Amino acid sequence: MATTSSVLSSVLSFTLLMSGTSAVAWAAAQEEPSETSHKPAGIPRHDTQKSRHVSPNHAKSRHQDEADESLTVRGHAHPVNGGALGTKRVLDTPFSIRTVTAAEIQERQVKSLARVFSQDASVISNGDTYSFNAYSVTVRGVPLDDYNGYKINGTPFFMTTVELPLESFEAVQLLKGASGFMYGFNAPGGIIDFQTKKPTDARTFSFDAGYSSGAVGSQHIDTGGRLFRNDIVGYRLNLTHENGETYSGSHVTRFSGSLSTDVRLAPNLLWTADAIYQDRKVQGGVQDFFIDDPSAYGSNRLPDAISGHKNLTASPASMFTSHTLFVSTGLHWDITKNWTARIDYSHSMDYRRYRGEWMSLQDQAGNYNTYMSTNPGSWAQYDQVQAILEGKFRTGFIRHDFTMGAAWQGLSRYLPYDSDYVDIGGQNLYAPVISRSYSGSWNTATYRNYRSDQVGLFGSDTLTFDKHWSLLAGIRFTDFHQLTWKASAAKTALRTTPLTPTAALMFHPWKDITIYASYVQALENGGTVGDTYKNARETLPPIRSDQVEIGAKVARASWDLTGALYRITRGAQYANADNVYVSNGTVTYQGAELSGHVDLPFGITLTDSLGAEGGKYSKADATIKGNKIEGIPLFQNVFQLTDRIPGVPGLSATAEVHYTASMWGDSSNTYHVPSYTLLNLRASYRTSIGHHKVTLRAELDNATNLHYWGFLASDYFFVGTPRAVFLNARFDL
């Protein structure tokens, strides 16, 4: 506690120093003319910008109904807002960024992160909606870091096995490659930032009800507005309920609620607060298949895939329960027209318990053993304080967009003393499932397995030389302290103080085009070894990565295009011949991605995302050195055609084709996960009843009911999602 208090005091002292009168006076002296239009004298500044703090895109917040009912939603309209990068337009960043808005989430009836970025060809989903790993994605061949790779409003959230309620978010933003610079420790693939829905200026209320295969019903309320004199208090409330039998025979029950508020303490001072809570339980269901010993498996092919409709649950004791809480608060201060400061605090907790079935494939004929793995109760707690100062000023002909800040974050994780990993009997993929019993008992006592503290100081400056050229330079200092314990109370300590730089050159031939080259260095948590390895629960040392990226962005009214070439060098982690999971050697990833859309006559829109990538073990054990990295398809392509049906106002239809090439399934390059092509179809109809907007939506995923394998991790696979129907009706008051 003494260490934590000292760290907090240091961060708060730094914040006070940032926002002191000397800083304000210097800022005012260096201030460049505001880029906003001049306002008549005598009108308070905040009266003309009521939504400035309410949402990064205040026009969307003010007219939420119109935004949600817009058929074509462009993610580049959302700014990037986080960490050392500050607040910028997507076009002004030297990184590849993908934003999925609330409108698109609702249009596609997305319920899990596995489907949020399914239309980005550089992303691989590592689980389906009702498995432990529905939250997990791989970006550019690199799995996101559970410790630091997921954020809520830019603050950290420990994401292991947690599925956040997507109904509570205005947008979900994927920032590829910028992670180490923006937030300190992180995997180089990227960061996913969940951005909560903010209070609306106009009073809004919407209700929607949905149905999905096999018989899951859901209801959702979204309401917002402002209260009291001069609209001083804003609110946004979302409530969600989901219940029913899933397409794979499990049963899901979910309750979630979120509340976002703000109070205008002064014309230039805003207090904000957010809270999210969710209970989620899946009864039954299985997790993943794995190959324990590739040499004993005896084949270079996986068994033929089965339908995702098959209920593989062998034991009625199988279940997974999670409870999630996130709260945050902050002060946002407009010091002058060109200088802002903010300080934010966040706290999150997640608790989970499960009895889960994992299946060990024995041969290509589909024989497998079912293992019951139990977790009587594990939980984690994450806290962060962050203070940031942003401003604009000039030195001669150079314009500066400057960001500096400090942050502290602490993560504690608790694991159960006891857990089971028991073989409950054999099965075959193609035969009826034989019921199996499990009689293990619960012991809910836990111990602290992990604690990390990070103190970070960061700064960046974007120097604009003229209307064509700009340079981004940034640096972050991190004091990282990690403690790990075994159940026996044996403790291991690790401390490192890296200095991680970032540099990027940007060229803007026109105002809506950016060409860039960037370099980012980062460290990431080594993670904790799983229970199936000899060194189970050991925490590995941090991993260093370096990324070079060259790219271009074009954002026009009727079309846009984003492309990038990248190369990532990263420390390697893998299971060696003795079944010890080690951090040793180097892996190299490289690839290209291209995505864009074009609006054609007659209401037709074409959207395409393609990615080509690969990787190899550059330095590693002799058994895998030079091998290709598993879980990376050589090529992915997602193509969509959307048409506003002529002659029927409000009716639109979309066809989506998603191709994923084959990929290696293990680090030894013994067998492939086969390629697959999915066809998704959806339609929506917008109308009005008594001056109230009504939207009807229908979607058919995997329309051909293709049987396929999905990739989770080396030697781990899951049964692909089957044909599934999604229906939804929304009513706006």
Side-chain angles (χ1 to χ4, degrees):
M1 283 298 296
T3 303
T4 302
S5 300
S6 175
V7 171
L8 283 169
S9 298
S10 300
V11 173
L12 291 172
S13 299
F14 183 83
T15 305
L16 293 173
L17 179 63
M18 279 197 333
S19 57
T21 55
S22 58
V24 176
W26 179 86
Q30 299 293 323
E31 210 171 84
E32 68 169 336
S34 172
E35 296 179 0
T36 59
S37 59
H38 293 288
K39 291 174 279 293
I43 299 179
R45 181 170 180 241
H46 204 71
D47 288 349
T48 60
Q49 292 185 327
K50 282 188 176 181
S51 300
R52 173 165 184 177
H53 293 292
V54 174
S55 167
N57 184 357
H58 60 269
K60 182 177 180 66
S61 179
R62 185 174 298 145
H63 303 290
Q64 186 253 350
D65 289 352
E66 294 176 14
D68 280 354
E69 293 308 313
S70 173
L71 179 62
T72 305
V73 182
R74 302 299 166 213
H76 60 249
H78 277 254
V80 180
N81 184 3
L85 191 62
T87 303
K88 297 186 183 298
R89 296 188 312 156
V90 171
L91 271 176
D92 294 332
T93 62
F95 307 107
S96 181
I97 296 169
R98 175 66 183 267
T99 302
V100 179
T101 65
E104 186 179 350
I105 288 172
Q106 189 161 58
E107 185 73 15
R108 292 165 46 207
Q109 302 183 60
V110 174
K111 297 294 184 184
S112 71
L113 188 59
R115 293 183 62 228
V116 171
F117 294 104
S118 63
Q119 296 175 329
D120 190 311
S122 64
V123 177
I124 290 287
S125 299
N126 298 328
D128 69 11
T129 303
Y130 302 109
S131 74
F132 284 20
N133 299 293
Y135 77 97
S136 179
V137 297
T138 295
V139 181
R140 293 181 170 179
V142 182
L144 263 63
D145 176 5
D146 289 355
Y147 294 74
N148 298 289
Y150 300 87
K151 311 289 181 183
I152 298 177
N153 295 336
T155 64
F157 184 85
F158 185 57
M159 193 68 174
T160 298
T161 69
V162 173
E163 188 63 75
L164 290 172
L166 292 172
E167 298 88 351
S168 295
F169 300 104
E170 189 64 46
V172 185
Q173 194 168 68
L174 171 60
L175 299 96
K176 306 173 190 175
S179 55
F181 165 55
M182 292 179 64
Y183 295 108
F185 268 55
N186 224 314
I191 283 174
I192 289 179
D193 186 20
F194 295 82
Q195 300 169 2
T196 55
K197 291 180 177 178
K198 297 300 182 183
T200 54
D201 281 354
R203 185 164 297 178
T204 63
F205 179 90
S206 68
F207 171 79
D208 67 87
Y211 167 89
S212 62
S213 304
V216 179
S218 62
Q219 305 83 39
H220 170 224
I221 292 174
D222 181 357
T223 183
R226 306 203 71 84
L227 302 171
F228 306 118
R229 187 177 179 182
N230 297 325
D231 293 339
I232 190 172
V233 176
Y235 68 93
R236 186 72 173 273
L237 176 67
N238 279 264
L239 300 172
T240 304
H241 171 249
E242 183 180 25
N243 184 68
E245 184 175 305
T246 74
Y247 47 71
S248 58
S250 60
H251 189 280
V252 63
T253 303
R254 177 171 67 100
F255 299 91
S256 71
S258 67
L259 177 64
S260 178
T261 61
D262 65 43
V263 180
R264 293 165 178 165
L265 302 176
N268 64 340
L269 185 63
L270 190 78
W271 172 79
T272 64
D274 288 276
I276 300 171
Y277 181 77
Q278 177 175 267
D279 276 338
R280 185 173 187 263
K281 181 175 183 178
V282 178
Q283 188 71 42
V286 298
Q287 300 314 312
D288 308 294
F289 287 83
F290 65 96
I291 297 177
D292 196 25
D293 185 349
S295 59
Y297 175 71
S299 176
N300 60 2
R301 290 185 57 195
L302 292 177
D304 292 338
I306 61 172
S307 170
H309 285 294
K310 184 175 182 179
N311 184 351
L312 293 167
T313 304
S315 169
S318 298
M319 51 79 70
F320 174 69
T321 299
S322 65
H323 311 279
T324 303
L325 172 68
F326 171 85
V327 293
S328 66
T329 185
L331 282 173
H332 298 204
W333 179 25
D334 293 336
I335 304 170
T336 68
K337 292 180 180 179
N338 294 309
W339 287 86
T340 63
R342 66 180 186 269
I343 181 168
D344 296 282
Y345 167 74
S346 69
H347 169 82
S348 62
M349 292 184 66
D350 63 275
Y351 173 84
R352 68 196 69 83
R353 60 199 295 258
Y354 61 78
R355 295 185 184 100
E357 297 180 34
W358 275 262
M359 286 71 70
S360 175
L361 280 170
Q362 302 300 304
D363 51 46
Q364 193 185 343
N367 294 305
Y368 65 91
N369 289 338
T370 301
Y371 287 83
M372 180 68 79
S373 177
T374 68
N375 181 331
S378 60
W379 61 283
Q381 176 178 300
Y382 222 144
D383 294 275
Q384 173 177 281
V385 178
Q386 180 170 264
I388 295 178
L389 173 70
E390 293 184 60
K392 300 178 181 181
F393 62 95
R394 288 185 179 275
T395 56
F397 68 92
I398 301 175
R399 191 187 76 192
H400 299 262
D401 290 276
F402 179 75
T403 300
M404 68 178 294
W408 164 83
Q409 63 185 55
L411 169 64
S412 293
R413 188 186 61 196
Y414 296 80
L415 296 180
Y417 279 101
D418 299 320
S419 61
D420 281 344
Y421 187 69
V422 181
D423 187 348
I424 62 173
Q427 307 277 356
N428 184 277
L429 277 174
Y430 313 111
V433 174
I434 302 170
S435 180
R436 303 293 186 184
S437 62
Y438 170 76
S439 57
S441 60
W442 291 98
N443 179 359
T444 58
T446 62
Y447 71 97
R448 185 160 65 169
N449 166 259
Y450 178 87
R451 172 70 189 185
S452 68
D453 288 271
Q454 294 184 48
V455 177
L457 300 174
F458 52 85
S460 71
D461 192 5
T462 301
L463 296 81
T464 302
F465 303 104
D466 56 29
K467 64 180 181 179
H468 297 303
W469 291 95
S470 59
L471 174 69
L472 170 66
I475 196 162
R476 175 183 282 268
F477 167 79
T478 303
D479 186 346
F480 179 81
H481 188 203
Q482 173 181 287
L483 294 169
T484 58
W485 293 266
K486 294 185 177 180
S488 63
K491 181 173 68 174
T492 303
L494 171 71
R495 185 177 183 184
T496 183
T497 55
L499 197 64
T500 50
T502 295
L505 182 64
M506 290 173 281
F507 175 55
H508 312 275
W510 293 277
K511 65 179 181 180
D512 51 9
I513 298 177
T514 300
I515 301 170
Y516 64 88
S518 63
Y519 166 78
V520 178
Q521 185 184 108
L523 285 179
E524 62 182 288
N525 289 83
T528 301
V529 177
D531 288 342
T532 58
Y533 301 100
K534 287 184 179 179
N535 57 333
R537 300 196 178 186
E538 178 185 339
T539 300
L540 300 178
I543 307 168
R544 174 177 163 168
S545 63
D546 298 84
Q547 176 174 290
V548 177
E549 180 175 336
I550 300 172
K553 307 174 187 181
V554 184
R556 296 284 175 86
S558 61
W559 64 279
D560 61 41
L561 187 66
T562 300
L565 301 171
Y566 59 88
R567 180 182 175 88
I568 301 170
T569 303
R570 177 176 178 249
Q573 291 185 330
Y574 52 88
N576 63 20
D578 297 323
N579 197 35
V580 176
Y581 200 79
V582 298
S583 183
N584 178 40
T586 305
V587 291
T588 303
Y589 307 82
Q590 53 191 10
E593 55 192 35
L594 185 67
S595 62
H597 96 281
V598 58
D599 295 329
L600 300 176
F602 310 109
I604 297 174
T605 298
L606 299 181
T607 304
D608 196 29
S609 176
L610 58 89
E613 58 185 331
K616 69 176 182 178
Y617 289 92
S618 306
K619 299 177 182 178
D621 284 0
T623 55
I624 64 171
K625 183 179 179 180
N627 284 3
K628 301 294 185 182
I629 300 174
E630 63 275 23
I632 302 179
L634 179 62
F635 181 74
Q636 274 202 100
N637 188 45
V638 186
F639 175 80
Q640 293 183 85
L641 186 152
T642 299
D643 186 17
R644 293 178 175 84
I645 306 300
V648 187
L651 180 62
S652 64
T654 298
E656 173 186 306
V657 179
H658 189 159
Y659 171 76
T660 300
S662 64
M663 61 191 98
W664 288 109
D666 67 326
S667 59
S668 300
N669 290 179
T670 306
Y671 46 83
H672 281 95
V673 179
S675 63
Y676 57 87
T677 302
L678 302 177
L679 172 64
N680 301 327
L681 304 172
R682 62 178 169 272
S684 63
Y685 177 64
R686 294 165 171 78
T687 187
S688 295
I689 300 176
H691 304 292
H692 299 294
K693 294 182 180 178
V694 175
T695 306
L696 305 177
R697 295 182 171 95
E699 175 148 353
L700 181 64
D701 280 2
N702 191 3
T704 62
N705 201 26
L706 179 74
H707 301 174
Y708 67 99
W709 289 107
F711 176 86
L712 169 61
S714 185
D715 296 312
Y716 281 78
F717 321 94
F718 63 93
V719 177
T721 304
R723 178 190 293 132
V725 175
F726 301 87
L727 304 173
N728 183 270
R730 168 173 164 158
F731 174 81
D732 289 277
L733 191 64

